[in-house]
Amino acid sequence: MQDLFVDGRVKEQTWGVVTFCKGSQKFQGKPKYASISVVAVHGIFQLKATELSRAVKLPFMTFKQFGASPKYDGPGWNPLANPVASAMNLDLQVLSDTWGEVNNKMWDDAGDIIVAREDHKDITMQQVEAIAQFALKVQELVTKQVIAELVDSENQDEKAKAALRCKFLQEEVSKEKFEKFFVKYKVDKIRKKDETWRGVVSPYSI
């Protein structure tokens, strides 16, 4: 187990991960993910963990950092777009009017974001990559459910709707579901000869 405290205090820094926006990748040659040292007093630790991260019992926060200078690259192309940031910040409150959606004002132009664990434990690029892919999958599934709700809106009261949403979270956005996803994702990466994944451990084992 990793020591969280040094001399009775929270350790001075932890390892987080930057997920770079489209513009940073295209115009600055940044990778999708990169490790970053995050000091204990960083503003990210003042934020609430995302709802998706709490649902899978791996609380982490996302912090808007900065991004590449906006540059035109064709109609409808947003250099500050960061699909991973949006997926990680889905509204998963079962009684919310914006269930399954993303706060567009906050995350449409997210730019580069930092991901760090609420418990100050380290998190790796590979772990964040797996979380990101899981979040994108959840976003796709919850969007389908939202559409189904709209189609059947006349036959559902708020209580029934909330019950279905709770069932969705239990079946699709649980710790067990992510653990299985993580194992499969790791195996697939190794099969594709990505040796950086060979020694990667589950974020729950840290």
Side-chain angles (χ1 to χ4, degrees):
M1 293 293 291
Q2 175 183 342
D3 290 330
L4 297 182
F5 298 90
V6 178
D7 295 330
R9 299 174 300 168
V10 175
K11 64 178 187 175
E12 294 183 357
Q13 65 180 32
T14 187
W15 284 102
V17 173
V18 179
T19 72
F20 290 101
C21 64
K22 291 183 177 181
S24 291
Q25 292 179 53
K26 184 176 181 66
F27 301 123
Q28 298 180 353
K30 299 291 187 181
K32 286 186 178 180
Y33 308 97
S35 294
I36 186 172
S37 178
V38 186
V39 295
V41 294
H42 192 285
I44 193 170
F45 295 112
Q46 303 301 316
L47 302 178
K48 292 182 179 179
T50 70
E51 290 162 25
L52 182 142
S53 72
R54 290 201 179 281
V56 299
K57 295 180 172 55
L58 187 69
F60 62 80
M61 295 77 64
T62 57
F63 182 90
K64 293 174 70 171
Q65 189 182 22
F66 50 77
S69 299
K71 295 183 180 180
Y72 183 74
D73 195 48
W77 196 84
N78 180 2
L80 294 178
N82 191 330
V84 166
S86 296
M88 287 182 176
N89 284 278
L90 289 170
D91 181 352
L92 296 178
Q93 297 184 62
V94 295
L95 299 178
S96 174
D97 292 335
T98 55
W99 157 264
E101 298 178 16
V102 178
N103 184 333
N104 291 333
K105 290 183 179 179
M106 183 70 176
W107 299 108
D108 263 5
D109 299 318
D112 304 336
I113 68 163
I114 298 174
V115 178
R117 291 177 56 151
E118 185 181 62
D119 58 12
H120 290 251
K121 291 183 179 180
D122 294 340
I123 192 166
T124 68
M125 291 186 292
Q126 290 83 4
Q127 290 167 350
V128 169
E129 179 183 341
I131 291 168
Q133 293 305 310
F134 180 78
L136 290 167
K137 179 183 177 182
V138 170
Q139 186 174 37
E140 181 180 348
L141 292 173
V142 77
T143 298
K144 291 180 180 178
Q145 195 204 25
V146 168
I147 293 172
E149 283 185 5
L150 292 173
V151 172
D152 197 36
S153 59
E154 294 184 0
N155 299 318
Q156 289 184 7
D157 58 24
E158 292 303 310
K159 185 176 181 180
K161 189 182 294 184
L164 286 173
R165 291 174 177 179
C166 285
K167 184 172 183 289
F168 173 85
L169 291 177
Q170 292 170 355
E171 294 180 350
E172 303 294 346
V173 202
S174 65
K175 176 182 177 182
E176 293 72 24
K177 195 75 174 183
F178 176 64
E179 283 183 310
K180 290 179 181 178
F181 179 91
F182 184 88
V183 170
K184 183 179 183 302
Y185 193 80
K186 177 181 177 179
V187 169
D188 289 344
K189 281 288 187 176
I190 293 174
R191 282 176 178 169
K192 293 176 182 178
K193 310 300 181 183
D194 188 340
E195 293 301 316
T196 65
W197 273 84
R198 191 163 296 279
V200 175
V201 299
S202 165
Y204 298 107
S205 67
I206 296 177

